[in-house]
Amino acid sequence: MNYGYFDEENKEYVITRPDTPAPWANYLGSPEYGAIISNNAGGYSFVKSGANGRIIRYRFNAIASDQPGRYIYLRDRDSKEYWSATWQPVGKNLDKYKSECHHGTAYTRFESTYDNIKMDTLYYVPLNKTYEVWKFKVTNEDKKVRNISAFGYVEFTTDSNYEQDSVNLQYTQFITRTEYIENKIVQHINENVDKNDKGSNGLERFFGLVGQEVTAYNGDRDSFVGSYRSYSNPIDIENGHCSNSLNYNENPCGALQTDITLQPGETKEMVFLLGAYDNEKANNIMKAYKDLSVTEKEIKELKNFWHGKLNNLQINTPDKNFNNMVNTWNSYQCFITFIWSRAASFIYCGLRNGYGYRDTVQDIQGIIHLAPEMALEKIRFMLSAQVDNGGGLPLVKFTHNAGHENTPDDAQYVSETGHPSYRADDALWLFPTVEKYINESGNIDFINEQIVFANTEEKVSVYEHLKRAIKFSMERLGAHNLPAGLHADWNDCLRLGKLGESTFVAFQLYYALRILKKYSVRLKDEEYIGYIDEKLKELKESINTNCWEEDQFVRGIRDNGEIVGSKTQPEAATWLNPQSWAVISGFADERQTKLCLDTVYKILNTAHGTMICYPPYKDHTFDGALMTLFNPYTKENGGIFSQTQGWIILAEALAGNGDRAFKYFQECNPAEMNDKAEIRKMEPYVHGQFVESKGSPFEGRAHVHWLTGTASTVMVSCVDGILGIKPSVDGIEIEPCIPKSWDGFTMQKNFRGKQLNITVKNNSHIEKGVKKVLLNGQDLVDKHIGFEQLKEENEIILYM
Ligand code: NOJ
């Protein structure tokens, strides 16, 4: 079933019917003020932290699964009928109620019509501002005069902390009250603590109306909704007037009513504003909207900002669904994971108040090709969260104080974060991320930049940080000379035992050594080059001796010596990640590459992607295989763990298999499920954490929207793998790996301020291999394009 389409030109996903199989969301805002909104205006907002800065209340996993939200109700004063500017919460019959939701880059717009009244509602957070705007336009399309009341409504939290607001009701319900002041509801929280000390827990929020006069208000949720009612039929709306009540204890809200009269064809506009500001600041903000056209300027700015970033790479290939994801939605999702990590969605409530080390270092990779300057800032931050022993802090607090943090070796860190010890993989993600950044930006000096550690103010170079990461792994090898799995590796659910060994980490380490060697060579660090060569050799021997099985690599070795992921086992006999990483890391030779990739295709591939392992654990599991807790074919237990799809696409592309790389891409591309939304359920424009695989009764159903490492991993596989964009310190090379049926494609890339207009011609219909490159009409001997050869704007033609 189809619920919408991609509007490529406007970079929007347009939802044409609002009764989607799940709330389909979008993100508005910035790190300073975040907001999530569904295709029925459900969702919430927060200042800085989803856990500690909540403004709009949201009930996770409730029956109306995206409520409450940012609602505008309408009521006809003559017929007494009422509805909402978005289909929900009133939910009129869809035969008569028409609604389109346009999710765009940091804004969401609704166009709805009901009973000859047209409504246009636009939600956004202005660029660099910390409040939100609901611009509302209502038009009378009737032949007669219509008397309409419009009601803006928001349910406030009583406490900014999500958990306190949700469960500590005997306390938080009694620290707040609302007040009506000049066209706005002002909410006070903890005002009795210290009226003069705004730095204390005291806090104010406002919900105001500009452009029309408030005719009535309500600051008390329960009197607005009424007993035994819901957001579909609040008593104030049914009665046609807000009761001018104010909240003192219990549940605060902001409801503002304005009564308007519309001549046939007439339009009236207004703006609702919401933020965590006191009355005085709110007045200033509201003043700025006196001329409502300011909203047009702001939305233009917002689009320019986001489209500017996304336009740094635009592609036009024969596959529209691929184009849509690379040009807009996968890229935008990468920015959202980069900003919000795993903190705030309809699934994540934000209580994990920090960045997962591996998550964020991987998230950064997804935006490097679009915004290297933003990536740099965060890479510095993550390096400053590396412990001086070389390991990464499993959780980097949002309040991270570089140089002064406790580590997993300290009881306080463990009790504060709940992370008992180091993970084997965290710091190893730095290698591809740092390399990718340096190659995109050309900023090779970064390798010498001095950065502190998490736990000491000692500053060392980025190069030294990377060396410490290697040392961390080398000091933690198991009985077979392979890196220990420690608390876990990338797979949260796999505990191999403290000295059990992980093949995945072994490949990561192999890859890290290869990357670091390039910098050692540059820095002429001869002794270290010798060390790397020796370790690469030792690692190769250990992996080949202990981890290669005829046509696949095993997943690891438990500390009791038992192999995990061996062909001889009845369950979890074949694993995906060791195969893809054997290739990505540059470890697998040609024969191993072919064999292990074929094994993945034969054993793990399904219509919706490749399973993480097969068969799932059920009766032959072990204590450390925590995934057994999950139903078979779900999550890490044989589900299609979506992040891993990016790695297998990349591996196939590196191996030169364009057809298979693209097939894997299509299998996991959300856009491919646009017409089967009833199966996938989740948004068709974003990746989720996993998809239920072939043995599940709900094969193809996706879960955990938006905030997932899938975004960056699949992005990288598209950019580096399929499109083959390979920048290096001194230039760029393009080596696509595409389906042989493609005649070619074009790309526009901003490369360090130079415009590259690239045309790829595949007249020979092959999957990989560039035989000739023309740069501005000149035939290059080498496929590599030197940066100094580039003009401001360049025409590049590649012949495959
Ligand atoms: C989700 C976690 O956020 C991520 O860090 C982990 O790698 C995957 N689960 C796989 O277990």
Side-chain angles (χ1 to χ4, degrees), residues 342 348 352 358-359 490-493 636 641 643 689:
R342 309 295 174 268
Y348 287 111
R352 185 174 82 159
R358 80 162 74 93
D359 293 343
W490 169 87
N491 190 326
D492 292 329
C493 301
E636 282 94 336
F641 210 89
Q643 185 178 12
Q689 186 199 66

Side-chain angles (χ1 to χ4, degrees), residues 490 574-580 599-616 632-642 644-645 648 664 667 690-696 699:
W490 169 87
T574 300
W575 289 70
L576 174 61
N577 292 334
Q579 323 313 326
S580 53
T599 296
V600 169
Y601 190 66
K602 271 190 280 185
I603 297 181
L604 301 178
N605 192 39
T606 75
H608 300 284
T610 49
M611 294 176 285
I612 193 170
C613 62
Y614 184 80
Y633 306 98
T634 302
K635 282 176 76 90
E636 282 94 336
N637 195 18
I640 297 158
F641 210 89
S642 305
T644 64
Q645 307 307 294
I648 193 67
Y664 284 150
E667 285 171 0
F690 78 98
V691 175
E692 291 173 62
S693 73
K694 65 178 187 183
S696 159
E699 181 182 0

Side-chain angles (χ1 to χ4, degrees), residues 54-67:
R54 278 303 163 83
I55 301 178
I56 303 184
R57 186 177 275 163
Y58 178 75
R59 280 177 275 283
F60 284 86
N61 206 18
I63 296 285
S65 60
D66 65 344
Q67 290 197 0

Side-chain angles (χ1 to χ4, degrees), residues 195-207:
K195 286 204 158 83
N196 301 314
D197 178 9
K198 297 288 180 211
S200 72
N201 291 331
L203 190 64
E204 266 132 25
R205 283 102 172 248
F206 80 100
F207 179 59

Side-chain angles (χ1 to χ4, degrees), residues 646-663:
W647 295 325
I648 193 67
I649 297 167
L650 182 61
E652 288 286 2
L654 291 172
N657 305 324
D659 280 332
R660 217 190 257 168
F662 204 72
K663 179 177 169 52

